[in-house]
Amino acid sequence: MTMPAHAPLRIALMIECDGPGGAELMMLDLATELRSRGHTVLPVGLTSGTGWLGSRFEAAGFHPVAFEIRSPLDFAAARQLTMILRDFRADVVHSHEFTMAIYGAAAARRAGARHVITMHGGLYYAAALRRRLAMRWAVRRSDALVGVSMATANELRRQLGVSAPRLQVIPHRLPQRIGARDRVRRELGIAPGEPLIVAVGNLYEVKGHAVLLDALAKLRAVTGWRLAIAGRGEEEAPLRARAAALGIAERIHLLGFREDIPDILAAADVLAMPSLSEGLPLALVEAMSFGLPVVITRVGGIPEVVTDDVDALLV
């Protein structure tokens, strides 16, 4: 199909996970920006989501819809999604991550819409041949494949055999957020001049928080520092146990899910990001907008946006 270059579009934005997380926040920001440019945006998710992202979309004035996937290869789900896209009269379908890439590729063409895939750095699809084959099929039926960093794009190229011009890199933009420093420091009982180290990320093993605790245990004799981790996940109990075993539990604050990340970053003196794998983490970009010193692992697209010993310490 052809469209005038500057005509307002009807765009369906689809993501399989419900957050909270960087990819979900990026999609919310993208929807808001597209709407401000005159386009009509429909957020699409899965009925199995927790509702966090859907509620954020509703609060922002969008009307999200959902469809249900009951099995790994669910033709009824593809038909349901096709009907959603037809009813919306979508011009473009923008699918984020693996599951939506597959179902979006199947439904967009039937609905007469163009299809774009964005991958945020998760490589879980590459572990199984059937998933790699499914991704190759989806990419062949799509108009573009986007990686959020050059490292992500290189991995897509290696795993899927995709090359330019179909494969493109579009990094996260720098969010403009303002935070208040004093409130969070009072909440945590941080004394004036006491260094607060902050990590932002869900409590999953891949985020490497256990590595951070091990490193900080070596600073046990250094007085005054505290660590606050904003995020939730299945690693909370193991991390609490690890901090206790290392003798640093009284210095560690596991904050759980927080809506006030700008305030937390404003309260921090250092951002630590010990991830074992990343695409281009939004928390890093946000921390840099606050001028925070950053200590971070040399993985994924991180070396593309910071220079070691200039913008950050890469480890």
Side-chain angles (χ1 to χ4, degrees):
M1 63 182 296
T2 60
M3 292 172 289
H6 301 291
L9 300 174
R10 301 181 66 81
I11 304 169
L13 295 180
M14 312 207 310
I15 194 164
E16 63 199 65
C17 41
D18 195 62
E24 295 83 5
L25 286 172
M26 174 267 192
M27 193 170 121
L28 181 61
D29 286 343
L30 177 60
T32 304
E33 179 67 23
L34 288 170
R35 182 175 60 185
S36 74
R37 299 186 183 194
H39 305 297
T40 302
V41 177
L42 176 70
V44 181
L46 298 179
T47 55
S48 57
T50 64
W52 178 85
L53 183 58
S55 65
R56 294 292 293 264
F57 271 120
E58 289 175 351
F62 294 95
H63 302 285
V65 298
F67 69 103
E68 185 174 7
I69 298 176
R70 298 176 181 83
S71 62
L73 189 60
D74 190 334
F75 293 103
R79 289 193 296 270
Q80 184 185 6
L81 178 58
T82 300
M83 292 304 299
I84 290 172
L85 299 177
R86 283 177 178 168
D87 290 344
F88 175 61
R89 294 181 286 112
D91 298 307
V92 177
V93 178
H94 187 177
S95 298
H96 295 255
E97 300 290 43
F98 173 79
T99 299
M100 289 306 202
I102 305 306
Y103 283 89
R109 178 172 292 189
R110 292 187 176 94
R114 294 180 178 179
H115 188 238
V116 178
I117 300 169
T118 290
M119 298 298 288
H120 292 259
L123 302 178
Y124 60 92
Y125 74 89
L129 176 60
R130 66 182 183 278
R131 287 176 170 261
R132 294 197 300 274
L133 293 175
M135 272 297 294
R136 289 170 188 165
W137 174 86
V139 169
R140 286 196 301 269
R141 293 174 63 92
S142 302
D143 294 272
L145 174 63
V146 176
V148 298
S149 67
M150 186 62 69
T152 301
N154 287 339
E155 192 62 31
L156 291 168
R157 186 178 294 111
R158 187 176 73 85
Q159 295 289 349
L160 305 177
V162 183
S163 59
R166 180 166 291 186
L167 177 58
Q168 301 180 38
V169 176
I170 303 178
H172 296 317
R173 71 171 187 166
L174 181 66
Q176 299 299 315
R177 308 194 198 277
I178 299 173
R181 178 173 174 85
D182 292 339
R183 183 186 62 79
V184 172
R185 293 181 71 89
R186 286 196 302 269
E187 173 191 336
L188 301 180
I190 308 297
E194 187 176 21
L196 175 62
I197 304 160
V198 161
V200 178
N202 288 321
L203 304 185
Y204 304 144
E205 187 175 358
V206 72
K207 294 300 184 180
H209 294 118
V211 178
L212 178 58
L213 294 185
D214 289 345
L216 286 173
K218 298 179 180 180
L219 300 178
R220 187 165 32 198
V222 178
T223 59
W225 62 265
R226 303 275 198 94
L227 169 68
I229 303 176
R232 66 184 182 190
E234 67 268 11
E235 286 292 298
E236 179 176 352
L239 288 173
R240 290 190 186 279
R242 196 182 198 98
L246 292 169
I248 57 174
E250 73 283 355
R251 301 192 186 197
I252 308 301
H253 304 271
L254 298 185
L255 304 180
F257 168 65
R258 298 287 293 242
E259 293 274 10
D260 57 344
I261 296 301
D263 287 353
I264 291 170
L265 291 174
D269 298 291
V270 176
L271 177 81
M273 183 167 283
S275 299
L276 309 181
S277 176
E278 285 286 355
L280 180 59
L282 185 62
L284 166 63
V285 183
E286 280 200 273
M288 292 174 69
S289 75
F290 281 87
L292 279 179
V294 176
V295 181
I296 195 165
T297 43
R298 191 190 302 267
V299 297
I302 290 169
E304 299 171 32
V305 295
V306 297
T307 302
D308 188 22
D309 212 24
V310 176
D311 310 300
L313 292 179
L314 295 176
V315 298

Short mmCIF file of all heavy atoms in Angstrom, two decimals, residues 229-291:
data_model
loop_
_atom_site.label_atom_id
_atom_site.label_comp_id
_atom_site.label_asym_id
_atom_site.label_seq_id
_atom_site.Cartn_x
_atom_site.Cartn_y
_atom_site.Cartn_z
N ILE A 229 17.89 -0.06 45.34
CA ILE A 229 17.56 -0.72 44.08
C ILE A 229 16.06 -0.56 43.85
O ILE A 229 15.25 -1.00 44.66
CB ILE A 229 17.93 -2.21 44.09
CG1 ILE A 229 19.43 -2.40 44.40
CG2 ILE A 229 17.60 -2.85 42.74
CD1 ILE A 229 19.85 -3.85 44.51
N ALA A 230 15.70 0.07 42.74
CA ALA A 230 14.30 0.25 42.37
C ALA A 230 13.92 -0.80 41.34
O ALA A 230 14.48 -0.84 40.24
CB ALA A 230 14.07 1.65 41.81
N GLY A 231 12.98 -1.66 41.69
CA GLY A 231 12.54 -2.72 40.78
C GLY A 231 11.94 -3.87 41.58
O GLY A 231 12.15 -3.98 42.79
N ARG A 232 11.19 -4.70 40.87
CA ARG A 232 10.58 -5.85 41.52
C ARG A 232 10.89 -7.10 40.70
O ARG A 232 11.23 -7.03 39.53
CB ARG A 232 9.08 -5.66 41.64
CG ARG A 232 8.34 -5.63 40.30
CD ARG A 232 6.87 -5.35 40.49
NE ARG A 232 6.15 -5.37 39.21
CZ ARG A 232 4.89 -4.97 39.05
NH1 ARG A 232 4.22 -4.54 40.09
NH2 ARG A 232 4.31 -5.02 37.87
N GLY A 233 10.75 -8.26 41.33
CA GLY A 233 11.01 -9.50 40.61
C GLY A 233 11.33 -10.64 41.54
O GLY A 233 11.41 -10.48 42.77
N GLU A 234 11.58 -11.81 40.93
CA GLU A 234 11.73 -13.03 41.72
C GLU A 234 13.04 -13.10 42.50
O GLU A 234 13.23 -13.97 43.36
CB GLU A 234 11.63 -14.26 40.83
CG GLU A 234 12.77 -14.41 39.82
CD GLU A 234 12.47 -13.79 38.48
OE1 GLU A 234 11.48 -13.05 38.36
OE2 GLU A 234 13.24 -14.06 37.52
N GLU A 235 13.98 -12.18 42.24
CA GLU A 235 15.26 -12.21 42.94
C GLU A 235 15.24 -11.45 44.26
O GLU A 235 16.28 -11.37 44.93
CB GLU A 235 16.35 -11.62 42.03
CG GLU A 235 16.78 -12.51 40.88
CD GLU A 235 17.50 -13.75 41.37
OE1 GLU A 235 18.57 -13.60 41.99
OE2 GLU A 235 16.99 -14.86 41.14
N GLU A 236 14.09 -10.91 44.67
CA GLU A 236 14.08 -10.08 45.88
C GLU A 236 14.54 -10.87 47.11
O GLU A 236 15.44 -10.43 47.85
CB GLU A 236 12.69 -9.50 46.13
CG GLU A 236 12.64 -8.66 47.41
CD GLU A 236 11.30 -7.98 47.63
OE1 GLU A 236 10.44 -8.03 46.71
OE2 GLU A 236 11.11 -7.40 48.71
N ALA A 237 13.93 -12.03 47.37
CA ALA A 237 14.31 -12.81 48.55
C ALA A 237 15.77 -13.26 48.49
O ALA A 237 16.50 -13.12 49.49
CB ALA A 237 13.37 -14.00 48.72
N PRO A 238 16.27 -13.81 47.36
CA PRO A 238 17.69 -14.16 47.29
C PRO A 238 18.63 -12.98 47.52
O PRO A 238 19.68 -13.12 48.14
CB PRO A 238 17.84 -14.73 45.88
CG PRO A 238 16.48 -15.24 45.52
CD PRO A 238 15.53 -14.28 46.17
N LEU A 239 18.25 -11.80 47.04
CA LEU A 239 19.11 -10.63 47.23
C LEU A 239 19.14 -10.21 48.69
O LEU A 239 20.19 -9.84 49.23
CB LEU A 239 18.64 -9.48 46.35
CG LEU A 239 18.91 -9.63 44.85
CD1 LEU A 239 18.24 -8.51 44.07
CD2 LEU A 239 20.41 -9.66 44.56
N ARG A 240 17.98 -10.27 49.37
CA ARG A 240 17.96 -9.94 50.80
C ARG A 240 18.83 -10.92 51.58
O ARG A 240 19.58 -10.52 52.48
CB ARG A 240 16.53 -9.96 51.32
CG ARG A 240 15.66 -8.82 50.80
CD ARG A 240 14.33 -8.74 51.55
NE ARG A 240 13.45 -7.75 50.95
CZ ARG A 240 13.53 -6.45 51.19
NH1 ARG A 240 14.47 -5.99 52.02
NH2 ARG A 240 12.69 -5.60 50.62
N ALA A 241 18.72 -12.21 51.23
CA ALA A 241 19.53 -13.22 51.92
C ALA A 241 21.02 -13.01 51.65
O ALA A 241 21.85 -13.16 52.56
CB ALA A 241 19.09 -14.61 51.47
N ARG A 242 21.35 -12.65 50.42
CA ARG A 242 22.76 -12.43 50.06
C ARG A 242 23.33 -11.23 50.81
O ARG A 242 24.46 -11.28 51.32
CB ARG A 242 22.88 -12.23 48.55
CG ARG A 242 24.31 -12.37 48.02
CD ARG A 242 24.33 -12.10 46.52
NE ARG A 242 25.53 -12.60 45.89
CZ ARG A 242 25.61 -13.75 45.24
NH1 ARG A 242 24.53 -14.53 45.15
NH2 ARG A 242 26.75 -14.15 44.68
N ALA A 243 22.55 -10.14 50.88
CA ALA A 243 23.01 -8.96 51.61
C ALA A 243 23.25 -9.28 53.08
O ALA A 243 24.24 -8.82 53.67
CB ALA A 243 21.99 -7.83 51.46
N ALA A 244 22.35 -10.08 53.68
CA ALA A 244 22.52 -10.47 55.08
C ALA A 244 23.78 -11.32 55.26
O ALA A 244 24.56 -11.11 56.20
CB ALA A 244 21.29 -11.22 55.56
N ALA A 245 24.00 -12.27 54.34
CA ALA A 245 25.16 -13.14 54.44
C ALA A 245 26.46 -12.35 54.26
O ALA A 245 27.49 -12.69 54.86
CB ALA A 245 25.08 -14.24 53.38
N LEU A 246 26.41 -11.28 53.47
CA LEU A 246 27.60 -10.46 53.23
C LEU A 246 27.81 -9.42 54.33
O LEU A 246 28.83 -8.72 54.33
CB LEU A 246 27.48 -9.75 51.88
CG LEU A 246 27.55 -10.65 50.63
CD1 LEU A 246 27.15 -9.86 49.39
CD2 LEU A 246 28.95 -11.24 50.47
N GLY A 247 26.86 -9.30 55.24
CA GLY A 247 26.98 -8.36 56.34
C GLY A 247 26.73 -6.91 55.95
O GLY A 247 27.19 -5.99 56.63
N ILE A 248 25.93 -6.68 54.89
CA ILE A 248 25.67 -5.31 54.44
C ILE A 248 24.18 -5.02 54.37
O ILE A 248 23.76 -4.03 53.76
CB ILE A 248 26.32 -5.03 53.06
CG1 ILE A 248 25.83 -6.05 52.01
CG2 ILE A 248 27.85 -5.05 53.16
CD1 ILE A 248 26.31 -5.74 50.59
N ALA A 249 23.35 -5.86 54.97
CA ALA A 249 21.91 -5.72 54.85
C ALA A 249 21.40 -4.36 55.32
O ALA A 249 20.46 -3.80 54.75
CB ALA A 249 21.20 -6.83 55.63
N GLU A 250 22.05 -3.80 56.36
CA GLU A 250 21.57 -2.52 56.90
C GLU A 250 21.84 -1.35 55.95
O GLU A 250 21.28 -0.27 56.11
CB GLU A 250 22.23 -2.24 58.26
CG GLU A 250 23.69 -1.85 58.20
CD GLU A 250 24.65 -3.02 57.95
OE1 GLU A 250 24.16 -4.18 57.91
OE2 GLU A 250 25.86 -2.77 57.82
N ARG A 251 22.65 -1.58 54.93
CA ARG A 251 22.95 -0.51 53.97
C ARG A 251 22.15 -0.63 52.67
O ARG A 251 22.28 0.22 51.79
CB ARG A 251 24.44 -0.52 53.62
CG ARG A 251 25.36 -0.32 54.81
CD ARG A 251 26.76 -0.05 54.34
NE ARG A 251 27.72 0.01 55.43
CZ ARG A 251 28.92 0.54 55.34
NH1 ARG A 251 29.31 1.07 54.19
NH2 ARG A 251 29.75 0.55 56.37
N ILE A 252 21.37 -1.69 52.55
CA ILE A 252 20.69 -1.99 51.29
C ILE A 252 19.21 -1.69 51.41
O ILE A 252 18.54 -2.12 52.35
CB ILE A 252 20.89 -3.48 50.90
CG1 ILE A 252 22.37 -3.85 50.94
CG2 ILE A 252 20.28 -3.75 49.53
CD1 ILE A 252 23.25 -3.03 50.02
N HIS A 253 18.67 -0.97 50.44
CA HIS A 253 17.24 -0.65 50.37
C HIS A 253 16.68 -1.24 49.08
O HIS A 253 17.03 -0.77 47.99
CB HIS A 253 17.00 0.86 50.38
CG HIS A 253 17.60 1.57 51.55
ND1 HIS A 253 16.93 1.76 52.74
CD2 HIS A 253 18.83 2.14 51.70
CE1 HIS A 253 17.71 2.41 53.58
NE2 HIS A 253 18.86 2.66 52.98
N LEU A 254 15.86 -2.28 49.20
CA LEU A 254 15.15 -2.81 48.04
C LEU A 254 13.79 -2.12 47.99
O LEU A 254 12.91 -2.39 48.81
CB LEU A 254 15.00 -4.33 48.14
CG LEU A 254 16.31 -5.13 48.18
CD1 LEU A 254 16.03 -6.63 48.17
CD2 LEU A 254 17.23 -4.76 47.02
N LEU A 255 13.63 -1.23 47.04
CA LEU A 255 12.48 -0.32 47.03
C LEU A 255 11.24 -0.92 46.38
O LEU A 255 10.16 -0.36 46.51
CB LEU A 255 12.86 0.97 46.30
CG LEU A 255 14.09 1.72 46.83
CD1 LEU A 255 14.33 2.97 45.98
CD2 LEU A 255 13.92 2.07 48.29
N GLY A 256 11.40 -2.03 45.65
CA GLY A 256 10.27 -2.56 44.90
C GLY A 256 9.93 -1.67 43.72
O GLY A 256 10.73 -0.83 43.30
N PHE A 257 8.74 -1.85 43.17
CA PHE A 257 8.32 -1.03 42.04
C PHE A 257 8.08 0.40 42.49
O PHE A 257 7.43 0.65 43.50
CB PHE A 257 7.04 -1.59 41.43
CG PHE A 257 6.39 -0.65 40.46
CD1 PHE A 257 7.03 -0.31 39.29
CD2 PHE A 257 5.15 -0.08 40.75
CE1 PHE A 257 6.45 0.57 38.40
CE2 PHE A 257 4.56 0.80 39.86
CZ PHE A 257 5.21 1.13 38.68
N ARG A 258 8.62 1.35 41.73
CA ARG A 258 8.46 2.77 42.06
C ARG A 258 8.03 3.55 40.82
O ARG A 258 8.54 3.33 39.73
CB ARG A 258 9.77 3.34 42.58
CG ARG A 258 10.29 2.69 43.86
CD ARG A 258 9.48 3.10 45.07
NE ARG A 258 9.64 4.50 45.39
CZ ARG A 258 10.15 4.97 46.52
NH1 ARG A 258 10.51 4.12 47.49
NH2 ARG A 258 10.25 6.26 46.74
N GLU A 259 7.11 4.48 41.04
CA GLU A 259 6.67 5.39 39.97
C GLU A 259 7.54 6.64 39.91
O GLU A 259 7.47 7.39 38.94
CB GLU A 259 5.22 5.80 40.20
CG GLU A 259 4.21 4.67 40.06
CD GLU A 259 3.75 4.47 38.63
OE1 GLU A 259 4.34 5.08 37.73
OE2 GLU A 259 2.79 3.70 38.44
N ASP A 260 8.37 6.87 40.94
CA ASP A 260 9.10 8.13 41.07
C ASP A 260 10.57 7.99 40.71
O ASP A 260 11.46 8.51 41.40
CB ASP A 260 8.96 8.67 42.50
CG ASP A 260 9.44 7.68 43.56
OD1 ASP A 260 9.60 6.48 43.24
OD2 ASP A 260 9.65 8.10 44.71
N ILE A 261 10.87 7.30 39.61
CA ILE A 261 12.26 7.08 39.21
C ILE A 261 13.01 8.41 39.03
O ILE A 261 14.18 8.51 39.44
CB ILE A 261 12.33 6.24 37.93
CG1 ILE A 261 11.76 4.83 38.20
CG2 ILE A 261 13.78 6.13 37.42
CD1 ILE A 261 12.47 4.06 39.29
N PRO A 262 12.42 9.46 38.45
CA PRO A 262 13.17 10.73 38.37
C PRO A 262 13.63 11.24 39.74
O PRO A 262 14.76 11.73 39.88
CB PRO A 262 12.18 11.68 37.70
CG PRO A 262 11.31 10.80 36.87
CD PRO A 262 11.15 9.55 37.70
N ASP A 263 12.78 11.12 40.76
CA ASP A 263 13.17 11.55 42.10
C ASP A 263 14.28 10.66 42.65
O ASP A 263 15.19 11.15 43.33
CB ASP A 263 11.98 11.52 43.05
CG ASP A 263 10.99 12.65 42.79
OD1 ASP A 263 11.30 13.53 41.96
OD2 ASP A 263 9.90 12.63 43.39
N ILE A 264 14.21 9.37 42.38
CA ILE A 264 15.24 8.45 42.87
C ILE A 264 16.58 8.76 42.21
O ILE A 264 17.63 8.77 42.86
CB ILE A 264 14.81 6.99 42.62
CG1 ILE A 264 13.63 6.64 43.53
CG2 ILE A 264 15.96 6.03 42.86
CD1 ILE A 264 12.98 5.32 43.22
N LEU A 265 16.57 9.03 40.91
CA LEU A 265 17.81 9.39 40.22
C LEU A 265 18.34 10.73 40.72
O LEU A 265 19.56 10.90 40.88
CB LEU A 265 17.58 9.42 38.72
CG LEU A 265 17.32 8.07 38.05
CD1 LEU A 265 16.97 8.26 36.57
CD2 LEU A 265 18.52 7.14 38.19
N ALA A 266 17.44 11.67 40.97
CA ALA A 266 17.87 12.96 41.49
C ALA A 266 18.49 12.81 42.88
O ALA A 266 19.40 13.57 43.25
CB ALA A 266 16.69 13.93 41.54
N ALA A 267 18.03 11.84 43.66
CA ALA A 267 18.55 11.62 45.01
C ALA A 267 19.91 10.93 45.00
O ALA A 267 20.64 10.98 46.00
CB ALA A 267 17.56 10.77 45.81
N ALA A 268 20.26 10.30 43.89
CA ALA A 268 21.46 9.46 43.83
C ALA A 268 22.73 10.29 43.67
O ALA A 268 22.72 11.42 43.17
CB ALA A 268 21.34 8.47 42.69
N ASP A 269 23.84 9.68 44.07
CA ASP A 269 25.16 10.23 43.80
C ASP A 269 25.89 9.43 42.73
O ASP A 269 26.79 9.95 42.07
CB ASP A 269 25.99 10.24 45.09
CG ASP A 269 25.36 11.12 46.15
OD1 ASP A 269 25.35 12.36 45.97
OD2 ASP A 269 24.85 10.58 47.15
N VAL A 270 25.50 8.16 42.57
CA VAL A 270 26.10 7.28 41.58
C VAL A 270 25.01 6.33 41.07
O VAL A 270 24.18 5.87 41.85
CB VAL A 270 27.26 6.44 42.17
CG1 VAL A 270 27.82 5.46 41.14
CG2 VAL A 270 28.37 7.33 42.68
N LEU A 271 25.01 6.05 39.76
CA LEU A 271 24.19 4.97 39.22
C LEU A 271 25.09 3.76 39.00
O LEU A 271 26.15 3.88 38.38
CB LEU A 271 23.54 5.35 37.89
CG LEU A 271 22.74 4.20 37.26
CD1 LEU A 271 21.35 4.10 37.89
CD2 LEU A 271 22.62 4.35 35.75
N ALA A 272 24.67 2.60 39.49
CA ALA A 272 25.37 1.35 39.24
C ALA A 272 24.46 0.45 38.41
O ALA A 272 23.30 0.25 38.78
CB ALA A 272 25.75 0.67 40.55
N MET A 273 24.97 -0.07 37.32
CA MET A 273 24.17 -0.96 36.47
C MET A 273 25.03 -2.19 36.15
O MET A 273 25.85 -2.17 35.24
CB MET A 273 23.73 -0.25 35.20
CG MET A 273 22.83 -1.09 34.31
SD MET A 273 22.01 -0.13 33.01
CE MET A 273 20.73 0.68 33.94
N PRO A 274 24.82 -3.29 36.90
CA PRO A 274 25.66 -4.48 36.75
C PRO A 274 25.10 -5.53 35.80
O PRO A 274 25.37 -6.72 35.97
CB PRO A 274 25.71 -5.00 38.18
CG PRO A 274 24.35 -4.67 38.73
CD PRO A 274 23.93 -3.38 38.06
N SER A 275 24.32 -5.14 34.81
CA SER A 275 23.60 -6.09 33.96
C SER A 275 24.55 -7.06 33.25
O SER A 275 25.65 -6.69 32.83
CB SER A 275 22.78 -5.34 32.90
OG SER A 275 21.83 -4.50 33.50
N LEU A 276 24.09 -8.30 33.10
CA LEU A 276 24.83 -9.30 32.35
C LEU A 276 24.50 -9.24 30.87
O LEU A 276 25.27 -9.72 30.03
CB LEU A 276 24.50 -10.70 32.90
CG LEU A 276 24.64 -10.87 34.42
CD1 LEU A 276 24.32 -12.29 34.81
CD2 LEU A 276 26.03 -10.47 34.89
N SER A 277 23.35 -8.67 30.52
CA SER A 277 22.94 -8.51 29.12
C SER A 277 22.01 -7.31 29.03
O SER A 277 21.17 -7.10 29.91
CB SER A 277 22.23 -9.78 28.62
OG SER A 277 21.75 -9.61 27.30
N GLU A 278 22.16 -6.50 27.98
CA GLU A 278 21.32 -5.35 27.76
C GLU A 278 21.23 -5.06 26.26
O GLU A 278 22.08 -5.51 25.49
CB GLU A 278 21.87 -4.10 28.47
CG GLU A 278 21.69 -4.08 29.97
CD GLU A 278 20.26 -3.79 30.41
OE1 GLU A 278 19.41 -3.52 29.54
OE2 GLU A 278 19.99 -3.85 31.63
N GLY A 279 20.21 -4.29 25.88
CA GLY A 279 20.17 -3.69 24.56
C GLY A 279 20.74 -2.30 24.67
O GLY A 279 21.93 -2.07 24.52
N LEU A 280 19.87 -1.34 24.99
CA LEU A 280 20.29 0.01 25.35
C LEU A 280 19.39 0.43 26.51
O LEU A 280 18.25 0.85 26.30
CB LEU A 280 20.15 0.98 24.18
CG LEU A 280 20.57 2.42 24.46
CD1 LEU A 280 22.03 2.49 24.90
CD2 LEU A 280 20.34 3.29 23.23
N PRO A 281 19.85 0.31 27.76
CA PRO A 281 18.98 0.50 28.92
C PRO A 281 18.52 1.94 29.07
O PRO A 281 19.33 2.88 29.09
CB PRO A 281 19.84 0.06 30.10
CG PRO A 281 21.25 0.15 29.61
CD PRO A 281 21.20 -0.13 28.14
N LEU A 282 17.21 2.11 29.21
CA LEU A 282 16.64 3.44 29.38
C LEU A 282 17.11 4.08 30.68
O LEU A 282 17.31 5.30 30.75
CB LEU A 282 15.11 3.35 29.36
CG LEU A 282 14.34 4.67 29.41
CD1 LEU A 282 14.66 5.52 28.19
CD2 LEU A 282 12.84 4.41 29.49
N ALA A 283 17.31 3.28 31.72
CA ALA A 283 17.76 3.82 33.00
C ALA A 283 19.11 4.51 32.87
O ALA A 283 19.38 5.53 33.52
CB ALA A 283 17.83 2.72 34.05
N LEU A 284 19.99 3.97 32.03
CA LEU A 284 21.29 4.60 31.79
C LEU A 284 21.11 5.97 31.15
O LEU A 284 21.71 6.96 31.57
CB LEU A 284 22.15 3.71 30.90
CG LEU A 284 23.39 4.37 30.29
CD1 LEU A 284 24.36 4.81 31.38
CD2 LEU A 284 24.06 3.43 29.30
N VAL A 285 20.28 6.02 30.12
CA VAL A 285 20.07 7.28 29.40
C VAL A 285 19.45 8.32 30.34
O VAL A 285 19.84 9.49 30.34
CB VAL A 285 19.19 7.05 28.16
CG1 VAL A 285 19.02 8.33 27.37
CG2 VAL A 285 19.80 5.97 27.27
N GLU A 286 18.48 7.88 31.15
CA GLU A 286 17.87 8.79 32.12
C GLU A 286 18.89 9.29 33.13
O GLU A 286 18.93 10.49 33.46
CB GLU A 286 16.73 8.10 32.84
CG GLU A 286 15.43 8.04 32.07
CD GLU A 286 14.25 7.79 32.99
OE1 GLU A 286 13.95 6.62 33.25
OE2 GLU A 286 13.63 8.78 33.44
N ALA A 287 19.73 8.40 33.66
CA ALA A 287 20.73 8.80 34.65
C ALA A 287 21.69 9.82 34.06
O ALA A 287 22.10 10.78 34.74
CB ALA A 287 21.48 7.57 35.16
N MET A 288 22.07 9.64 32.80
CA MET A 288 22.97 10.59 32.16
C MET A 288 22.32 11.95 32.03
O MET A 288 22.99 12.99 32.12
CB MET A 288 23.40 10.05 30.80
CG MET A 288 24.29 8.81 30.89
SD MET A 288 24.64 8.08 29.29
CE MET A 288 25.69 9.34 28.56
N SER A 289 20.99 11.99 31.85
CA SER A 289 20.30 13.28 31.76
C SER A 289 20.33 14.02 33.08
O SER A 289 20.16 15.24 33.12
CB SER A 289 18.86 13.09 31.29
OG SER A 289 18.04 12.57 32.32
N PHE A 290 20.55 13.28 34.20
CA PHE A 290 20.69 13.90 35.51
C PHE A 290 22.15 14.21 35.85
O PHE A 290 22.44 14.71 36.93
CB PHE A 290 20.11 12.99 36.59
CG PHE A 290 18.61 13.04 36.68
CD1 PHE A 290 17.83 12.22 35.88
CD2 PHE A 290 17.97 13.91 37.55
CE1 PHE A 290 16.44 12.27 35.94
CE2 PHE A 290 16.59 13.96 37.63
CZ PHE A 290 15.82 13.14 36.82
N GLY A 291 23.07 13.89 34.93
CA GLY A 291 24.48 14.16 35.17
C GLY A 291 25.12 13.24 36.19
O GLY A 291 26.13 13.60 36.80
#
